[in-house]
Amino acid sequence: MLTIKKIQIYGFGKHENLTISLNEGVTIFYGLNEAGKTTIQQFILQMLFGFPTRQQTQRKYEPKASTKFGGQLTLLHPIHGQCIIERVKGKAAGDVTVYLEDGTTGQDELLAKLLYGYSRASFESIFSFSLHELQGIEKMSEEELTHLLLASGTTGIQHLSALEKKMDKEANELFKKTGKVPVINQKIEQLKQLERTIKLEQGKIQTFEDKLQQLQLLEQNLENLYAIQKLQQQQWLQLTVQKQALPLIKQQQTLQQTLVNYQHVQFPPEGLRRYEQLKDRLLHESQQLMQLKEQYQSLQNKVLATVDEQTVNEMGRLMQKEAIWHQLTVKEQNLRDDLFMLEQEIDAQFRLLGVQEKEAQEILLGETVSLQQEQQFQHQLKKLEDAEEELKFHLRSLEQVHHELDAITQQKQRLKRESLTKEEEHILAQWPQQKRRLEQLRAAKSQRTKQKQPDIFFWMVLFIGLLSFAYGIFQKNVAVAVIGAVLTMLTILLMRFVRQATETPNKEQSHLFRQLEQEETTVQSIFLKKERLEDRWLHVNEQQSEKEQQYTKLEYKIQQAELESEEASQSLQHYLKRYRLQGTIARTLMPELFMRIRGVQELAVKRKGNSSLLQETQDEKKSLYEQLQQVLDGTFNEHEIYVYLRTAYLEAQQQQQRVQQTKDQLADIERNLQGGQTRMDRYTTEMTQLLNEAQVQNEQAYYERYEQFEQQRKITTELQTVQAQLASLNFPHDKHLIEDSVIEDMRVLEQEQDSLQLEIDRCLEQRAALQIEKEQLLNDEKYGKLLQQFEQEKSELQQLIEHWATKKAVATAIHETLFRLREEKLPHVLLKVNAIFRLLTGGRYDQLVIHDEGYFVAQDVAGFRYQMVELSQATKEQAYIALRMALAQTLTTSAPFPIIMDDPFVHFDRNRTDKMVQLMKEVGYEHQILYFTCHDAMLKHWPKEKIIDVGALANERGVAST
Amino acid sequence: MSAIRFFHMADLHLDSPFKGLFGLPEHILKEIRSSTFDAFDKIIQRAIQEQPDFLLIVGDIYDGENRSLQAQRRFQDAMEKLFQHNIPVIISYGNHDHLKGTWTRFALPSNVYELPSETSVVQLKIRGQQVRIYGFSYSERHLKKSVIETYPIAQDPHAIHIGMLHGSEASDTSHALYAPFTKQQLLEKNYHYWALGHIHKRQLLHQNPPIVYPGNIQSRHRKEQGIKGFYDVTLSQAACELDFIPTSAIVYSTIEVDCTDVVHANELLKRCEEAIAANRTTLGASVVELHLKNIDEQTEALFEHATVDAWLETIREAEEGLEPMCWVQKMVLQKSSIYYEHSASTQSVVSLMEQWDSNDWKDILKDLYQYAGGARLIEPLTEKDMKNLTHSAQALLAEEIQRA
């Protein structure tokens, strides 16, 4: 039994610093209205279960006047013993501290433990009730009442029952055993569907292996097919070869047949060429022979018609003399020319000498012209010349004198012309008068001259001015130049002024003076002239007389010289006569003459020598010429004869050489002829041999044989080619082929190949398709995704199941709880309820029975059953109290809480109140009972110590009631 | 004796569907779907880069009958790549890719040793070091009997002995038992390394010699949380160095969001976004459950007018398009316990539910679980499910009562 021993209020509602000690069993809290009974009741509840939070509707008892809020409860706990619960203001529910007997303290958790985990609601629903709850029973429906009763009269029961229904409904919405609509059912269906899809996909994956096998099979198939194809290709190749070989073989056969015809043909190697070569050579040789023979004949003739050798030798000898001949000719010519020249010269000399006649010439030639003679002649000539020289000199002197005389005469005449004119004579005559006047004037003038002295000063100044001006200009001294110029100007002006001043008064006087002076000078010059002319006249006359004397002397000398010259020329003339020289020869030519004569004489001697030489030469030449003519056998001009000879000689020589050559040629030809003949013989033999080799008689047959041979050879070559081609085709020689069969074979093979190719294509196609499928399978994530989806769905399902299971569990739990209450606890409770109910009703009613439909009905002693509404108010309340009390009693062990009642018995009569007190006393042994009342009627039932006057508490304050 | 180096991985489950996801947009679904491949590609790339001596794949390359051709081809391609780099691969097939399967088998290159159904040994010589690898492949889907007896005890003291075993420890009851063994049995074989597979959670059963479950390489539902990967093992006679290499392309994780003092909607969104962003930085692309914690009545008010699903939608919208992607699969509200008080009646309901045992549950849910049409599609009810159901039922009850 959990007992509250002491209530200690720090501050709660109107109470402050209040301590109440309680006894076991029943405690009656008495007080008038407003005394604070409910406050104490609430204090106990709030101390145990906490101050109400904001959300809760209960009243808060935080004191208005005091800051203290809370208090202490001292409990005697059946397990933990004495313990104190202190709750003060703090968090919403207040800060709680529990102090246990053993000294341990704790908070909310420990408190919850102390309170057996009961909440205020559940506590209130059983252990705390008031009239209000009892009154409420009337209004409750039967059903509610039943639930209340079933749930030990707790408040939460209706909720539970509602919840059960709700949970049931929700669970059913989630799942129903036989349904299609609920979510889980649907989900399961979905999952099944998905599973099927996965299976399908799995099936597809299973085909992967099949596909692999199929692929392998196909691969094998293909390999086989390829092998067959290869074989076929080889066959085809062979057949193609055969087909190619067919015409070749045919050709080979024909060729072989033809070759049989030509089997015996023999022909020397290169026979035709060799034969034709020989033939050519033979022809060529014979032609050559013919030519040679002709040549030989002509040469033979040529050799016979040639000159004799003697003449040629003679000619050769003469030819050697050709130089001599020419020399002679030249020599003769020269001599003739010389002779002619000499003759000419002699003639010229003679003509020069003037000797025309032959005799004179002969004489002259015979005269001596020695040096003595010449000297004599020179001497005479000299004399003559001297005489003539003297004469000449005298004549020249005479002439000079004559000239001089003429000059003197002319001088005389000039002098006469130069004598004084009449005017001059007049002037001279007048002069003495004039002279006098002049002297007068002169005297006057000398006086004035003194006055003219200052003039010099002016001139000086003028000079200085000019000088300074010039200096200024030269030195570029402007000042000086200006000064100079000004000075000059001033001087000139001054001078002019002065002169004018002086001149004007004696102008006439001076004029006269000047005239006189001029006259004086003229007279003086005329005087001088007259004197000079008189002198010269005297002198010329002297010269004339001197010259006339000279002239007469010279005339005499000339006469003498002429005589002398006459004499000399005569002696010379005489001398010349000796040389029969006619005419006169200039004296200057005289020495020349002698030289010429001497030259003529020399020339004559020369001429004589030349003539004799010429004679000799001519003789020699003539003999030679005769010889030549003899040799040449004809008359030829002397000049050309050697030309002819040379020609003739050369011709002869050449002829001789030619003959020699011809002879050589002839010998050669003879040799050639012999050689040609032998060759021809040989050729002929060879040709015959060739013919023999070819086994023929004549050329015609030989050619035919050649043709045959060629044919044979061609065939053989062709045959070889064919064979080679066959060999290159790798074709077995021994195999016999039939064309038709080959073609047929090929056709068949082609068909086979086509069908095989088709098969291969089909296989390839299949393989490709399979490959793609395989790849698709490999790369397909669908399966994985499906699995994931499946898992997801499953999770969702699981989640749903969880929801369902939870709901189901809750529903079941509630259901079961209710069921248990009804089935297990209820009979036990009911027994107690009935006992209490019987007690309270004083045996009027026997029991409370649960109706078949789950409602309570009351059964009286007589066995009649009454529904709740049919009962009186007090009986209903009694039924209710009976239920509560019974419940509390059944819970004595699991929840030994105090029962708190707030004046619930007001409707009870005295009898029933007594019964109630009896019950309280009974229950008071198992539960502490706190009874709050304002009716003093209750007080008389209890001893004083069990009564606490709340109104008095407020006055006594802090004093425990006992 | 030189050390050898190999990669130990298991449970690739290539192209396996992801469980427990729904309502995903197409692009995220695609990314999630390719995540097993992405993880596997990471391994192959690393192998090519690091050139380990060989690779051990301890079963469950594919996801049973659900294996797709694409997955097989991807695997084949990867093996070809390793072949080109001359890296041997030893495969022991597990329960999900047992030898009896009717699926198409892709020919693998010669560097791949597929262990037969009889326990046998593969001998490798690596830089002069003899390596013996023992193992077998599942001959059928369910191999309940123990096979550990068929493994020979290591004899050659110079060789390195490695056991490959796809199965579960006999004591582990959380998984269906396949080829069960005990730790002691393994240790008795005197091997240097036990490469295990089948359990998707990474575990180190024994330190020396190492007995290792590398876990799967990519988680496939929300129960496989955290970063997945494989072990890069450097092993010599004397020592073993285990290096865990993460491969997860997408990580499943739970994010707790503290909602203390959250009053306004944007505050809540901000908290959630911050939490997701932090998750994104640490784990990359991920699928997350948001657990909102410390929700008091103020915060609770936020959920009075909009349902949790509406909030989830809002958060998803906010995360839409961000890289690496983050899909918020679920949002769970963890309310402060003090808030709701059960009344006596509800309390009795609650306590009733708590009293239910599995038979009760089966009875309660028999309508569905006996439903012929859906039997195959519905996951069997586990103890854990029942517990969860109890919780959610209680929550629902409380919520409904509260609302009333």
Side-chain angles (χ1 to χ4, degrees), chain A residues 580-645:
Chain A
R580 312 254 174 186
L581 293 173
Q582 296 171 343
T584 49
I585 297 160
R587 271 188 306 273
T588 48
L589 290 176
M590 282 309 163
E592 186 85 19
L593 191 66
F594 262 90
M595 267 173 54
R596 299 253 176 213
I597 293 164
R598 217 183 281 141
V600 170
Q601 279 174 348
E602 275 169 30
L603 286 170
V605 174
K606 230 183 201 174
R607 187 174 67 186
K608 209 167 163 186
N610 267 3
S611 301
S612 63
L613 256 171
L614 181 66
Q615 197 58 48
E616 274 174 52
T617 315
Q618 275 172 342
D619 286 349
E620 214 175 324
K621 193 180 164 190
K622 199 171 177 188
S623 77
L624 199 54
Y625 183 65
E626 275 163 10
Q627 280 176 16
L628 281 167
Q629 271 185 332
Q630 212 175 1
V631 170
L632 284 172
D633 199 15
T635 50
F636 289 101
N637 191 326
E638 211 170 286
H639 300 295
E640 295 167 333
I641 192 146
Y642 250 94
V643 176
Y644 287 115
L645 179 66

Side-chain angles (χ1 to χ4, degrees), chain B residues 31-221:
Chain B
E31 195 167 340
I32 287 174
R33 248 177 57 61
S34 72
S35 62
T36 50
F37 289 132
D38 294 342
F40 184 56
D41 285 348
K42 276 186 195 171
I43 297 172
I44 297 305
Q45 269 170 23
R46 191 162 179 102
I48 289 165
Q49 196 183 326
E50 299 284 327
Q51 295 283 327
D53 298 317
F54 54 88
L55 261 62
L56 300 180
I57 304 176
V58 194
D60 289 0
I61 293 164
Y62 311 111
D63 202 24
E65 280 77 6
N66 286 342
R67 67 169 62 181
S68 67
L69 289 170
Q70 207 193 0
Q72 295 190 76
R73 178 141 101 164
R74 293 281 283 262
F75 185 72
Q76 188 191 31
D77 288 349
M79 292 303 112
E80 291 285 354
K81 264 187 209 165
L82 294 178
F83 174 68
Q84 280 161 22
H85 287 85
N86 204 19
I87 299 168
V89 181
I90 296 103
I91 299 173
S92 87
Y93 290 114
N95 55 318
H96 275 292
D97 46 6
H98 58 93
L99 299 173
K100 231 177 200 173
T102 53
W103 45 74
T104 312
R105 278 167 217 289
F106 280 56
L108 297 171
S110 61
N111 62 321
V112 181
Y113 300 90
E114 294 169 279
L115 288 166
S117 60
E118 295 300 320
T119 308
S120 41
V121 60
V122 174
Q123 301 205 24
L124 296 172
K125 194 146 196 170
I126 289 147
R127 295 184 294 278
Q129 174 65 59
Q130 192 72 29
V131 181
R132 286 162 183 267
I133 300 159
Y134 308 91
F136 72 99
S137 287
Y138 276 47
S139 58
E140 55 194 332
R141 175 90 170 87
H142 302 287
L143 188 72
K144 302 288 188 189
K145 69 171 179 25
S146 174
V147 265
I148 186 66
E149 296 81 22
T150 61
Y151 282 69
I153 292 167
Q155 300 292 343
D156 186 353
H158 301 297
I160 289 178
H161 303 272
I162 298 170
M164 286 171 82
L165 180 54
H166 187 87
S168 49
E169 215 180 344
S171 58
D172 185 358
T173 50
S174 62
H175 293 79
L177 273 181
Y178 281 98
F181 59 87
T182 63
K183 210 188 282 180
Q184 195 51 43
Q185 280 175 314
L186 299 186
L187 293 173
E188 277 165 9
K189 301 296 177 190
N190 281 330
Y191 292 172
H192 295 97
Y193 187 92
W194 273 102
L196 304 181
H198 183 60
I199 305 298
H200 291 184
K201 184 172 159 51
R202 176 153 58 106
Q203 291 173 73
L204 194 63
L205 296 186
H206 194 265
Q207 194 69 46
N208 195 19
I211 301 174
V212 182
Y213 277 118
N216 54 353
I217 59 167
Q218 166 64 50
S219 39
R220 288 143 53 246
H221 48 82

Side-chain angles (χ1 to χ4, degrees), chain A residues 119 122 163 166 192 195 202 778-779 781 783-784 787-788 791-792 795-796 798 806 809-810 813 817 820, chain B residues 17-22 33 65-66 70 73 341-344 348-349 352 356 373 376 379 393 396-397 400:
Chain A
S119 66
S122 47
L163 185 61
K166 188 184 165 196
K192 277 182 182 170
E195 209 176 27
Q202 233 168 11
L778 274 178
N779 291 323
E781 287 186 23
Y783 180 59
L787 282 180
Q788 184 61 53
E791 281 304 328
Q792 246 175 286
S795 306
E796 278 179 57
Q798 212 58 43
T806 315
V810 171
T817 311
R820 266 193 206 178
Chain B
F18 280 69
K19 294 172 200 243
L21 296 179
F22 52 88
R33 248 177 57 61
E65 280 77 6
N66 286 342
Q70 207 193 0
R73 178 141 101 164
E341 311 156 25
H342 284 291
S343 67
S348 59
V349 176
L352 180 70
W356 284 343
R376 275 176 305 103
E379 298 287 324
L396 179 67
L397 181 70
E400 291 292 335

Side-chain angles (χ1 to χ4, degrees), chain A residues 80-84 97-107 110:
Chain A
H80 299 282
Q82 181 132 350
C83 43
I84 299 163
T97 319
V98 182
Y99 304 94
L100 292 188
E101 207 171 26
D102 56 6
T104 52
T105 57
Q107 274 79 41
L110 185 58

